């Protein structure tokens, strides 16, 4: 389909009947929006993750299932044929109950993924019914037919070439027919044996971008609860301002360093095929939003500040490091073995400091296994620190301009900075601070770097 727009709606955008109606209005206002990707209704994924933890007794289990049912009932009660919809939701929740019981016996990431996928399965079913009731032709498409991933449950990697081939076979013919709005699920996929997988928390943005790529979309629209990308999280810093235009690079840096508005991988497929990404509010579409494009007219030295919580700092030291070669390779090969992605790195004569983010798995469990520390301790001293947050200043030409570090650090000279990374990219300067001071640090930086006229 030519000029296809993909519209992705996050959890708050599909939280209830009114919110889903706003989505329908947004979609039907643009004749090019033919593919709709939805998250689970707000709060549902967290409830399902709790069920999948295996830690609930039967009373807690039934209470959670009742809460999940109530969220969906409040929506289908507004529709004709509510008995039919109740039966569909109850059938999904029957599977959820069985999986939750299984999880109490043996919790696995595969069971977690199957269980939590029901959030998106239920929301996509209900919003399709709303489209139909409003007189639009709509089809609910199971994204697992096309969203092929590896089997790394909880944080699966999409297999882009297979997704392209499957999309051509199963999804493009539906879109090319042009007469139906296709509604599908974000966040979930399937591996080659048909087992359900998930792309990690917040992964629906990534799903939309992957589908944008495989469907050769003209635009990808991420509809959320704020009218665009701001200079920092407006919930943390009330003076944050919306940004009209961002480059892919700037937006990717912001997402990587904690701007939750976009899942960190979202820009990867968009960059591969140069598709512009729009971010706006489904509740207030008239307020406009942010366009993320390959280039922008204006490239300020300071564009935004971001915060990523729950960072783990690991300091590895060994006298064997002095003048030795291969020590870093040895350390990184151990992290690679455990599929852990290292974020920041800083080295001194006898030590290496690195940071890890352990919290993006769907299960919500830490992805840092104890075995990693055992293995590291075999050849160096290991010190682990928690309770840290990563603050990032995102901008342009930062490592090539004078006064950057002075402007940044003079704003926060009352705070202890635990580690700094600067110079690898000209687009960011980031550092670790204590979690208890992080929001204050963010506010000070925002005030000094982004509020001046
Ligand atoms: P959705 O459910 O639609 O995916 P998210 O909660 O994942 O929405 O992301 C939207 C939230 O991201 C906003 O409510 C806001 O608190 C947060 N956020 C963090 N950084 C930024 C930023 N720079 N600009 C706008 N919102 C941000
Ligand atoms: N529902 C999933 C989550 O809450 C995916 C998403 O909303 O993007 O993480
Ligand atoms: Mg999100």
């Amino acid at each position: 389909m030519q000029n296809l727009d993909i519209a992705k709606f996050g959890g708050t955008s599909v939280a209830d009947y009114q919110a889903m109606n706003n989505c329908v209005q947004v979609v039907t206002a643009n004749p090019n929006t033919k593919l709709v990707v939805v998250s689970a209704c707000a709060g549902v994924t967290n409830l399902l993750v709790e069920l999948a933890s295996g830690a609930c007794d039967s009373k807690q289990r039934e209470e959670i299932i009742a809460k999940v049912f109530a969220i969906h009932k409040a929506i289908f009660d507004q529709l004709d044929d509510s008995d039919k919809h109740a039966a569909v939701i109850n059938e999904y929740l029957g599977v959820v109950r069985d999986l939750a019981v299984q999880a109490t016996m043996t919790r696995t990431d595969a069971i977690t993924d199957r269980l939590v996928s029901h959030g998106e399965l239920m929301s996509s079913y209900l919003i399709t019914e709303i489209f139909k009731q409003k007189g639009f032709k709509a089809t609910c498409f199971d994204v697992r037919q096309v969203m092929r991933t590896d089997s790394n449950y909880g944080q699966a990697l999409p297999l882009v070439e297979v997704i392209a081939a499957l999309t051509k076979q199963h999804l493009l013919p539906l879109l090319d027919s042009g007469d139906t709005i296709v509604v599908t699920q974000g966040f979930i996929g399937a591996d080659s044996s048909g087992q359900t997988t998930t792309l990690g928390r917040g992964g629906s943005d990534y799903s939309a971008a992957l589908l944008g790529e495989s469907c050769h979309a003209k635009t990808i629209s991420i509809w959320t609860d704020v009218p665009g990308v701001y200079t920092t999280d407006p919930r943390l810093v009330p003076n944050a301002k919306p940004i009209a235009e961002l480059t892919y690079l700037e937006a990717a840096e912001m997402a990587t360093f904690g701007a939750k508005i976009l899942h960190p991988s979202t820009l990867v497929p968009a960059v591969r095929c140069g598709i512009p990404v729009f971010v706006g509010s489904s509740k207030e579409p008239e307020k406009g939003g942010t366009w993320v494009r390959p280039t922008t007219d204006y490239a300020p030295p300071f564009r935004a500040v971001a915060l990523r919580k729950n960072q783990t700092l690991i300091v590895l030291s060994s006298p064997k490091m002095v003048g030795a070669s291969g020590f870093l390779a040895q350390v990184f090969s151990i992290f690679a073995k455990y599929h852990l992605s290292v974020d920041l790195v800083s080295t001194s004569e006898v030590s290496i400091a690195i940071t890890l983010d352990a919290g993006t798995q769907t299960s919500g469990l830490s992805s840092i296994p104890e075995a990693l520390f055992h293995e590291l301790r075999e050849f160096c001293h290991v010190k682990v620190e928690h309770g840290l947050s990563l603050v990032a200043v995102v901008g342009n030409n930062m490592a090539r301009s004078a006064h950057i570090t002075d402007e940044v650090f003079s704003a926060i000279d009352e705070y202890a900075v635990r580690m700094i990374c600067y110079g690898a990219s000209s687009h960011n300067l980031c550092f670790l601070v204590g979690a208890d001071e992080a929001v204050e640090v963010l506010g000070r930086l925002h005030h000094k770097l982004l509020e001046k006229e």
Side-chain angles (χ1 to χ4, degrees), residues 22-271:
N22 294 339
C23 302
V24 170
Q25 271 182 28
V26 165
V27 170
T28 53
N30 181 350
N32 293 321
T33 308
K34 288 291 183 213
L35 183 57
V36 176
V37 177
V38 292
S39 293
C41 304
V44 168
T45 307
N46 287 348
L47 290 168
L48 297 177
V49 166
E50 227 177 303
L51 282 177
S53 71
C56 305
D57 61 28
S58 57
K59 182 166 171 274
Q60 290 163 327
R61 185 164 63 235
E62 291 312 315
E63 278 168 10
I64 296 176
I65 292 175
K67 278 189 201 164
V68 175
F69 181 74
I71 292 171
H72 297 93
K73 179 175 172 0
I75 299 170
F76 67 68
D77 270 351
Q78 310 283 325
L79 296 175
D80 297 342
D81 238 351
S82 63
D83 288 351
K84 181 186 127 198
H85 306 314
V88 172
I89 297 298
N90 271 322
E91 196 173 330
Y92 279 135
L93 290 180
V95 181
V96 164
R97 181 177 289 107
D98 290 347
L99 292 167
V101 172
Q102 271 187 53
T104 57
M105 294 180 283
T106 0
R107 196 210 70 80
T108 66
D109 289 337
I111 294 176
T112 300
D113 279 3
R114 260 187 79 195
L115 198 159
V116 300
S117 69
H118 286 79
E120 273 68 13
L121 292 171
M122 291 187 284
S123 61
S124 56
Y125 166 75
L126 287 179
I127 196 167
T128 309
E129 293 303 313
I130 298 183
F131 274 107
K132 288 187 195 161
Q133 186 156 317
K134 292 193 172 295
F136 299 101
K137 187 156 180 223
T139 310
C140 191
F141 177 81
D142 189 330
V143 82
R144 292 172 294 185
Q145 286 187 65
V146 299
M147 188 58 69
R148 178 65 60 78
T149 70
D150 68 6
S151 304
N152 187 19
Y153 300 108
Q155 192 123 50
L157 280 181
L159 305 176
V160 175
E161 279 161 24
V162 189
I163 294 171
L166 292 171
T167 300
K168 198 167 171 197
Q169 199 182 345
H170 301 292
L171 181 55
L172 287 183
L174 201 55
L175 288 169
D176 284 337
S177 75
D179 70 339
T180 181
I181 293 165
V182 181
V183 178
T184 196
Q185 306 80 27
F187 180 53
I188 72 174
D191 65 12
S192 57
S193 55
Q195 292 287 324
T196 301
T197 56
T198 61
L199 305 181
R201 291 306 303 266
S204 295
D205 303 326
Y206 191 24
S207 305
L210 288 162
L211 291 171
E213 179 177 35
S214 64
C215 294
H216 315 291
K218 186 90 181 200
T219 48
I220 298 164
S221 304
I222 307 287
W223 294 100
T224 179
D225 57 359
V226 280
V229 181
Y230 280 55
T231 45
T232 193
D233 187 340
R235 286 186 212 291
L236 300 180
V237 180
N239 282 343
K241 299 275 175 310
I243 305 170
E245 266 196 329
L246 275 175
T247 62
Y248 287 143
L249 260 170
E250 291 169 327
E253 295 275 0
M254 288 177 72
T256 302
F257 291 113
K260 189 184 168 225
I261 186 141
L262 289 175
H263 180 278
S265 304
T266 312
L267 275 313
V268 176
V271 169

Side-chain angles (χ1 to χ4, degrees), residues 250-332:
E250 291 169 327
E253 295 275 0
M254 288 177 72
T256 302
F257 291 113
K260 189 184 168 225
I261 186 141
L262 289 175
H263 180 278
S265 304
T266 312
L267 275 313
V268 176
V271 169
R272 276 196 297 255
C273 34
I275 307 175
V277 176
F278 175 79
V279 182
S281 157
S282 60
K283 199 174 168 197
E284 301 173 303
E286 69 287 351
K287 285 200 170 165
T290 304
W291 276 103
V292 187
R293 304 180 196 277
T295 56
T296 56
D297 293 341
Y298 177 51
F302 300 118
R303 180 67 99 174
V305 288
L307 173 67
R308 211 162 90 184
K309 295 181 181 159
N310 298 326
Q311 300 301 294
T312 303
L313 175 68
I314 304 176
V315 182
L316 307 169
S317 46
S318 163
K320 283 184 240 154
M321 248 183 98
V322 184
S325 59
F327 190 83
L328 285 177
Q330 216 175 337
V331 165
F332 285 116

